[in-house]
Amino acid sequence: MSKKIGFIGLGTMGFPMAANLKKAGFEVIGFDAWKGVYEKAEAAGFTMVDTVKEVAELADEAIISMVRDYAQNVDVIFGENGILTGENTDGKTVIVMSTLSPDAMNELGARVEAESGLKLISAAVSGGASGAQAGTLSIMTSGDETIVKSFAPYFDAMGSHTFYYGPEAGNSQVAKLVNNMILGINMNAVAEGLKLGQHYGLPEEEILNLLKVSTGDSWVVRNWSDVSEWTADTALAVLLKDLIATYNEGVKLNIPMPFNALSSTQLFNSMGKEKK
């Protein structure tokens, strides 16, 4: 009999992640605040329920939260009909796969364990919608190491690489901020380089072909056809949020990160998009 895993948040990232869990043989117990996704989810073989509480009760050992931000995670976990209101949930684990600040994630973990018999681990992801669909996400985990290792089959179904960053739940979020800071800086560099080439009439595709086999190579270069289409109200907005969070961490800890600060300011301009 296949294990039942709860999945809350079936959006652009969450839906394909849940679909890959289903393809790997797990039974997905799903919930989303937008009921418009239910028909599609049921067609994909998910068991959809009306409340988060039901997700927590029906899942065998783990409930994934892939909602947008801290406030939504608080509502999912502690709100009316939230995870903590479920019966027979002691010993189960909440896997928060959203991107939050390190302090916010640590606070969630401490509160869950203080107010319930559940555990919480963090598993931030990188790879975007294309990685979620292909099942090739990079997954950054932290929390109880024994629990993290026991959930390897779940992570393997959704990603191609899983990393462990220690017992503090917020540690994986630090790793995600580091990754996205470097992503943001790199995006600015590639976009500005292409603008210079465009000024002189150089074909963009040939510049990208050069970079892919030379010292300017990067994930951004190899995926520019997708990255260049990121919009101001979706992926770029999410990245800017992470760059600002990284800046705030630097200010708090007195760690100078001038390239991150500049990338935060220039991101939309470099990408030729207007901030909404």
Side-chain angles (χ1 to χ4, degrees), residues 100-107 122 142-143 167-175:
L100 309 179
S101 74
D103 288 344
M105 186 63 74
N106 285 331
E107 180 184 316
S122 174
S142 58
E168 292 291 328
N171 287 358
S172 72
Q173 302 299 319
V174 177

Side-chain angles (χ1 to χ4, degrees), residues 2 6 17 43 55 74 126 145-146 170 198 200 219 253 269:
S2 62
M17 290 165 66
V55 175
V74 169
S126 177
E145 187 172 7
T146 301
Q198 184 182 47
Y200 283 94
W219 182 91
L253 300 171
N269 181 57

